[in-house]
Amino acid sequence: MCRATSDDESCTMLSELSTTMEDMPTPSSPIVGRASELHELATALGLGDGHPREAVLLGGDAGIGKTRVLLELTARAKASGFRLLVGHCLDLGDNAPSFQPFVQAFGTLDDETRESVGRAAGAETLLEPGRAGQDRSDVLLSVVRTLEVLAGEKPVLMVVEDAHWADASTRQLLRLLLAHTFAAPVALAVSYRSDDLHRKHPLRLALAEWARLPGVHRLELGPLPDRQVAELVQSRESTAMSGERVDDIVRRAAGNAFYAEELLEAGTGDTVPEELADVLLVRYDGLGQDARTVVAAAACAGGPVDDSVLAGVTGLDDATLHTALREAVDRRILVSVDDGFRFRHALLAEAVHDDLLPGERKRLHTRFLDVLLAEGGAAAEISLHAHAAGRADVAFDADVRAAADSTRIGGYHEAAVHLTRALEIVPAGEVHR
Ligand SMILES: Nc1ncnc2c1ncn2[C@@H]1O[C@H](COP(=O)(O)OP(=O)(O)OP(=O)(O)O)[C@@H](O)[C@H]1O
Ligand SMILES: [Mg+2]
């Protein structure tokens, strides 16, 4: 048994999992950037000298490159003579089998090693997930012993991927391992998606506690700089790409390697590629109705938007609006900024905007237009909503004013864009200015 209370089904799943998943995927192209992060992590994990000093908690948004960095680290660890143990947490919700990543990792050991380590570490071990009647504390301690026995032969690097999906038993085990002082060299690296950690997420509290333990190092992987996203994009294409296309991908990916790859794969186009939109919209789909209304409105704003404008556009009363905004912020969809709220990632705004039905989109832009006209909003913003709302009369004036605003501060390119748009909406021969 996986543990005393698990059923046969999850045990079958586990054994399938441990035999079908490979350690770590093989990267198809060289890593771009991340030199300082790799140095920091490799030093903490003792990859150079086989003496781990700290366990590492590696966080970052989905697709930012955590696995890619871990891949690099595991390759270095292997080259330095480490034994590699890799386990993945899977998105199985309450059905996640207990100690899933450890069962998977131990499942990759060959029979001889399992037998000798099993003997040395004691009988109650996850090396034998089919055994019945194991006491929980015995299981926890047997994992510590197993790692210690393995590390007696050669240093061990244990990687637990995607801990945001970890089952409660795995979290408990990780807590024990992070607090334990191993007698042999055991390095531990745990990755998690920080954008999944909403306020009530069980890992959020756990991480705050784990990071305070001595010898635990937490690193948040930030976005890749623009020039590195450009390098990544260019390295994936055999033929030269136009500078404009590279710039477009770099701007929209905003430092996220996965988004850049997906945009590249999808070819040219203004809308968010379908597969990427599916990934992005999962979190939006999970919101309550009011929060969805607010997020849909924010997606039409074209940039940061303050709560008074959102109140006018959505028609929600103050209390409802603020509860909805709180939910969108907690779910890491919007962030609070000086001038109101904006999307955490511009591509998510694009995906939500694209996902609206045409009538709904037009209605929201019309509401923005009404609010901004009443409040005396900036001409460029009025132009955006007037075009999207199909209000050519307002759009023309707004574009002319926006062009004048841009010209005053030397923004000739933007001025030309506004004037071109203004000209496009008046029939030939009707321009008198
Ligand atoms: N620095 C990099 N250089 C080259 N490719 C990268 C880099 N970072 C990420 N990638 C590529 O971008 C894609 C997404 O990266 P990765 O899978 O590591 O993200 P992740 O943070 O682990 O995402 P998730 O939270 O979904 O697991 C992968 O195809 C990966 O190979
Ligand atoms: Mg990953």
Side-chain angles (χ1 to χ4, degrees), residues 155-174:
V156 168
L157 171 59
M158 170 89 214
V159 177
V160 175
E161 273 262 64
D162 300 323
H164 49 281
W165 289 322
D167 56 284
S169 309
T170 296
R171 284 196 303 275
Q172 199 181 7
L173 178 51
L174 283 173

PDB file of all heavy atoms in Angstrom, residues 155-174:
ATOM      1  N   PRO A 155      27.181  11.351  -3.185  1.00  0.00           N
ATOM      2  CA  PRO A 155      26.240  12.423  -2.845  1.00  0.00           C
ATOM      3  C   PRO A 155      24.933  12.281  -3.633  1.00  0.00           C
ATOM      4  O   PRO A 155      24.926  11.812  -4.776  1.00  0.00           O
ATOM      5  CB  PRO A 155      26.966  13.704  -3.265  1.00  0.00           C
ATOM      6  CG  PRO A 155      28.361  13.338  -3.565  1.00  0.00           C
ATOM      7  CD  PRO A 155      28.456  11.852  -3.703  1.00  0.00           C
ATOM      8  N   VAL A 156      23.848  12.702  -3.015  1.00  0.00           N
ATOM      9  CA  VAL A 156      22.520  12.583  -3.635  1.00  0.00           C
ATOM     10  C   VAL A 156      21.939  13.967  -3.885  1.00  0.00           C
ATOM     11  O   VAL A 156      22.030  14.849  -3.023  1.00  0.00           O
ATOM     12  CB  VAL A 156      21.562  11.815  -2.694  1.00  0.00           C
ATOM     13  CG1 VAL A 156      20.115  11.929  -3.165  1.00  0.00           C
ATOM     14  CG2 VAL A 156      21.958  10.348  -2.592  1.00  0.00           C
ATOM     15  N   LEU A 157      21.381  14.158  -5.076  1.00  0.00           N
ATOM     16  CA  LEU A 157      20.566  15.360  -5.313  1.00  0.00           C
ATOM     17  C   LEU A 157      19.128  14.893  -5.515  1.00  0.00           C
ATOM     18  O   LEU A 157      18.829  14.172  -6.468  1.00  0.00           O
ATOM     19  CB  LEU A 157      21.048  16.132  -6.546  1.00  0.00           C
ATOM     20  CG  LEU A 157      20.122  17.281  -6.995  1.00  0.00           C
ATOM     21  CD1 LEU A 157      19.936  18.324  -5.887  1.00  0.00           C
ATOM     22  CD2 LEU A 157      20.655  17.962  -8.262  1.00  0.00           C
ATOM     23  N   MET A 158      18.264  15.282  -4.587  1.00  0.00           N
ATOM     24  CA  MET A 158      16.844  14.939  -4.686  1.00  0.00           C
ATOM     25  C   MET A 158      16.103  16.172  -5.187  1.00  0.00           C
ATOM     26  O   MET A 158      16.182  17.242  -4.574  1.00  0.00           O
ATOM     27  CB  MET A 158      16.343  14.519  -3.300  1.00  0.00           C
ATOM     28  CG  MET A 158      14.850  14.365  -3.186  1.00  0.00           C
ATOM     29  SD  MET A 158      14.279  12.704  -3.613  1.00  0.00           S
ATOM     30  CE  MET A 158      12.688  13.058  -4.365  1.00  0.00           C
ATOM     31  N   VAL A 159      15.401  16.030  -6.308  1.00  0.00           N
ATOM     32  CA  VAL A 159      14.647  17.153  -6.876  1.00  0.00           C
ATOM     33  C   VAL A 159      13.156  16.850  -6.761  1.00  0.00           C
ATOM     34  O   VAL A 159      12.703  15.781  -7.197  1.00  0.00           O
ATOM     35  CB  VAL A 159      15.011  17.350  -8.375  1.00  0.00           C
ATOM     36  CG1 VAL A 159      14.163  18.463  -8.986  1.00  0.00           C
ATOM     37  CG2 VAL A 159      16.496  17.665  -8.535  1.00  0.00           C
ATOM     38  N   VAL A 160      12.426  17.760  -6.166  1.00  0.00           N
ATOM     39  CA  VAL A 160      10.972  17.614  -6.124  1.00  0.00           C
ATOM     40  C   VAL A 160      10.381  18.745  -6.956  1.00  0.00           C
ATOM     41  O   VAL A 160      10.482  19.920  -6.607  1.00  0.00           O
ATOM     42  CB  VAL A 160      10.438  17.665  -4.680  1.00  0.00           C
ATOM     43  CG1 VAL A 160       8.912  17.631  -4.668  1.00  0.00           C
ATOM     44  CG2 VAL A 160      10.990  16.491  -3.881  1.00  0.00           C
ATOM     45  N   GLU A 161       9.820  18.379  -8.085  1.00  0.00           N
ATOM     46  CA  GLU A 161       9.284  19.377  -9.016  1.00  0.00           C
ATOM     47  C   GLU A 161       7.809  19.678  -8.735  1.00  0.00           C
ATOM     48  O   GLU A 161       7.051  18.784  -8.343  1.00  0.00           O
ATOM     49  CB  GLU A 161       9.410  18.826 -10.444  1.00  0.00           C
ATOM     50  CG  GLU A 161      10.759  19.114 -11.097  1.00  0.00           C
ATOM     51  CD  GLU A 161      10.684  20.333 -12.005  1.00  0.00           C
ATOM     52  OE1 GLU A 161      10.431  21.450 -11.504  1.00  0.00           O
ATOM     53  OE2 GLU A 161      10.884  20.144 -13.224  1.00  0.00           O
ATOM     54  N   ASP A 162       7.444  20.926  -8.951  1.00  0.00           N
ATOM     55  CA  ASP A 162       6.033  21.357  -8.927  1.00  0.00           C
ATOM     56  C   ASP A 162       5.342  21.118  -7.584  1.00  0.00           C
ATOM     57  O   ASP A 162       4.238  20.554  -7.516  1.00  0.00           O
ATOM     58  CB  ASP A 162       5.246  20.676 -10.071  1.00  0.00           C
ATOM     59  CG  ASP A 162       5.832  21.021 -11.438  1.00  0.00           C
ATOM     60  OD1 ASP A 162       6.264  22.181 -11.604  1.00  0.00           O
ATOM     61  OD2 ASP A 162       5.881  20.158 -12.319  1.00  0.00           O
ATOM     62  N   ALA A 163       6.002  21.601  -6.531  1.00  0.00           N
ATOM     63  CA  ALA A 163       5.485  21.377  -5.168  1.00  0.00           C
ATOM     64  C   ALA A 163       4.166  22.106  -4.908  1.00  0.00           C
ATOM     65  O   ALA A 163       3.512  21.834  -3.905  1.00  0.00           O
ATOM     66  CB  ALA A 163       6.530  21.798  -4.148  1.00  0.00           C
ATOM     67  N   HIS A 164       3.761  23.017  -5.806  1.00  0.00           N
ATOM     68  CA  HIS A 164       2.447  23.652  -5.620  1.00  0.00           C
ATOM     69  C   HIS A 164       1.338  22.599  -5.713  1.00  0.00           C
ATOM     70  O   HIS A 164       0.233  22.839  -5.284  1.00  0.00           O
ATOM     71  CB  HIS A 164       2.230  24.782  -6.635  1.00  0.00           C
ATOM     72  CG  HIS A 164       2.528  24.381  -8.053  1.00  0.00           C
ATOM     73  ND1 HIS A 164       3.804  24.308  -8.541  1.00  0.00           N
ATOM     74  CD2 HIS A 164       1.725  23.999  -9.071  1.00  0.00           C
ATOM     75  CE1 HIS A 164       3.777  23.895  -9.801  1.00  0.00           C
ATOM     76  NE2 HIS A 164       2.519  23.701 -10.154  1.00  0.00           N
ATOM     77  N   TRP A 165       1.650  21.453  -6.330  1.00  0.00           N
ATOM     78  CA  TRP A 165       0.662  20.371  -6.415  1.00  0.00           C
ATOM     79  C   TRP A 165       0.926  19.285  -5.369  1.00  0.00           C
ATOM     80  O   TRP A 165       0.298  18.217  -5.424  1.00  0.00           O
ATOM     81  CB  TRP A 165       0.698  19.730  -7.813  1.00  0.00           C
ATOM     82  CG  TRP A 165       0.146  20.597  -8.899  1.00  0.00           C
ATOM     83  CD1 TRP A 165      -0.945  21.426  -8.807  1.00  0.00           C
ATOM     84  CD2 TRP A 165       0.628  20.717 -10.244  1.00  0.00           C
ATOM     85  NE1 TRP A 165      -1.151  22.054 -10.006  1.00  0.00           N
ATOM     86  CE2 TRP A 165      -0.203  21.637 -10.917  1.00  0.00           C
ATOM     87  CE3 TRP A 165       1.678  20.142 -10.946  1.00  0.00           C
ATOM     88  CZ2 TRP A 165      -0.012  21.997 -12.248  1.00  0.00           C
ATOM     89  CZ3 TRP A 165       1.866  20.493 -12.266  1.00  0.00           C
ATOM     90  CH2 TRP A 165       1.026  21.410 -12.912  1.00  0.00           C
ATOM     91  N   ALA A 166       1.845  19.513  -4.474  1.00  0.00           N
ATOM     92  CA  ALA A 166       2.222  18.442  -3.532  1.00  0.00           C
ATOM     93  C   ALA A 166       1.048  18.057  -2.641  1.00  0.00           C
ATOM     94  O   ALA A 166       0.279  18.911  -2.196  1.00  0.00           O
ATOM     95  CB  ALA A 166       3.396  18.902  -2.673  1.00  0.00           C
ATOM     96  N   ASP A 167       0.929  16.765  -2.382  1.00  0.00           N
ATOM     97  CA  ASP A 167      -0.071  16.290  -1.421  1.00  0.00           C
ATOM     98  C   ASP A 167       0.405  16.646  -0.016  1.00  0.00           C
ATOM     99  O   ASP A 167       1.588  16.949   0.199  1.00  0.00           O
ATOM    100  CB  ASP A 167      -0.248  14.771  -1.575  1.00  0.00           C
ATOM    101  CG  ASP A 167       1.059  14.020  -1.426  1.00  0.00           C
ATOM    102  OD1 ASP A 167       1.883  14.044  -2.378  1.00  0.00           O
ATOM    103  OD2 ASP A 167       1.290  13.445  -0.363  1.00  0.00           O
ATOM    104  N   ALA A 168      -0.513  16.585   0.945  1.00  0.00           N
ATOM    105  CA  ALA A 168      -0.182  17.006   2.313  1.00  0.00           C
ATOM    106  C   ALA A 168       0.948  16.157   2.898  1.00  0.00           C
ATOM    107  O   ALA A 168       1.823  16.678   3.601  1.00  0.00           O
ATOM    108  CB  ALA A 168      -1.430  16.916   3.184  1.00  0.00           C
ATOM    109  N   SER A 169       0.961  14.867   2.591  1.00  0.00           N
ATOM    110  CA  SER A 169       2.023  14.006   3.135  1.00  0.00           C
ATOM    111  C   SER A 169       3.380  14.425   2.593  1.00  0.00           C
ATOM    112  O   SER A 169       4.381  14.426   3.317  1.00  0.00           O
ATOM    113  CB  SER A 169       1.782  12.547   2.747  1.00  0.00           C
ATOM    114  OG  SER A 169       0.486  12.169   3.066  1.00  0.00           O
ATOM    115  N   THR A 170       3.417  14.771   1.314  1.00  0.00           N
ATOM    116  CA  THR A 170       4.690  15.198   0.721  1.00  0.00           C
ATOM    117  C   THR A 170       5.160  16.497   1.375  1.00  0.00           C
ATOM    118  O   THR A 170       6.348  16.667   1.655  1.00  0.00           O
ATOM    119  CB  THR A 170       4.540  15.379  -0.809  1.00  0.00           C
ATOM    120  OG1 THR A 170       4.252  14.114  -1.369  1.00  0.00           O
ATOM    121  CG2 THR A 170       5.792  15.951  -1.446  1.00  0.00           C
ATOM    122  N   ARG A 171       4.220  17.406   1.630  1.00  0.00           N
ATOM    123  CA  ARG A 171       4.621  18.661   2.292  1.00  0.00           C
ATOM    124  C   ARG A 171       5.206  18.369   3.670  1.00  0.00           C
ATOM    125  O   ARG A 171       6.206  18.951   4.069  1.00  0.00           O
ATOM    126  CB  ARG A 171       3.427  19.620   2.412  1.00  0.00           C
ATOM    127  CG  ARG A 171       3.070  20.309   1.112  1.00  0.00           C
ATOM    128  CD  ARG A 171       2.176  21.516   1.355  1.00  0.00           C
ATOM    129  NE  ARG A 171       0.968  21.183   2.063  1.00  0.00           N
ATOM    130  CZ  ARG A 171      -0.149  20.731   1.478  1.00  0.00           C
ATOM    131  NH1 ARG A 171      -0.188  20.571   0.166  1.00  0.00           N
ATOM    132  NH2 ARG A 171      -1.215  20.453   2.198  1.00  0.00           N
ATOM    133  N   GLN A 172       4.577  17.436   4.365  1.00  0.00           N
ATOM    134  CA  GLN A 172       5.068  17.098   5.702  1.00  0.00           C
ATOM    135  C   GLN A 172       6.473  16.485   5.617  1.00  0.00           C
ATOM    136  O   GLN A 172       7.367  16.816   6.406  1.00  0.00           O
ATOM    137  CB  GLN A 172       4.095  16.109   6.337  1.00  0.00           C
ATOM    138  CG  GLN A 172       4.235  16.045   7.832  1.00  0.00           C
ATOM    139  CD  GLN A 172       3.276  15.027   8.427  1.00  0.00           C
ATOM    140  OE1 GLN A 172       2.597  14.279   7.720  1.00  0.00           O
ATOM    141  NE2 GLN A 172       3.213  15.003   9.738  1.00  0.00           N
ATOM    142  N   LEU A 173       6.638  15.612   4.632  1.00  0.00           N
ATOM    143  CA  LEU A 173       7.942  14.976   4.452  1.00  0.00           C
ATOM    144  C   LEU A 173       9.007  16.007   4.068  1.00  0.00           C
ATOM    145  O   LEU A 173      10.130  15.984   4.588  1.00  0.00           O
ATOM    146  CB  LEU A 173       7.815  13.885   3.374  1.00  0.00           C
ATOM    147  CG  LEU A 173       9.065  13.108   2.975  1.00  0.00           C
ATOM    148  CD1 LEU A 173       9.782  12.554   4.188  1.00  0.00           C
ATOM    149  CD2 LEU A 173       8.697  11.963   2.024  1.00  0.00           C
ATOM    150  N   LEU A 174       8.638  16.939   3.198  1.00  0.00           N
ATOM    151  CA  LEU A 174       9.604  17.973   2.796  1.00  0.00           C
ATOM    152  C   LEU A 174      10.018  18.794   4.006  1.00  0.00           C
ATOM    153  O   LEU A 174      11.187  19.133   4.178  1.00  0.00           O
ATOM    154  CB  LEU A 174       8.992  18.882   1.719  1.00  0.00           C
ATOM    155  CG  LEU A 174       8.936  18.279   0.313  1.00  0.00           C
ATOM    156  CD1 LEU A 174       8.153  19.178  -0.636  1.00  0.00           C
ATOM    157  CD2 LEU A 174      10.356  18.056  -0.226  1.00  0.00           C
TER     158      LEU A 174
END
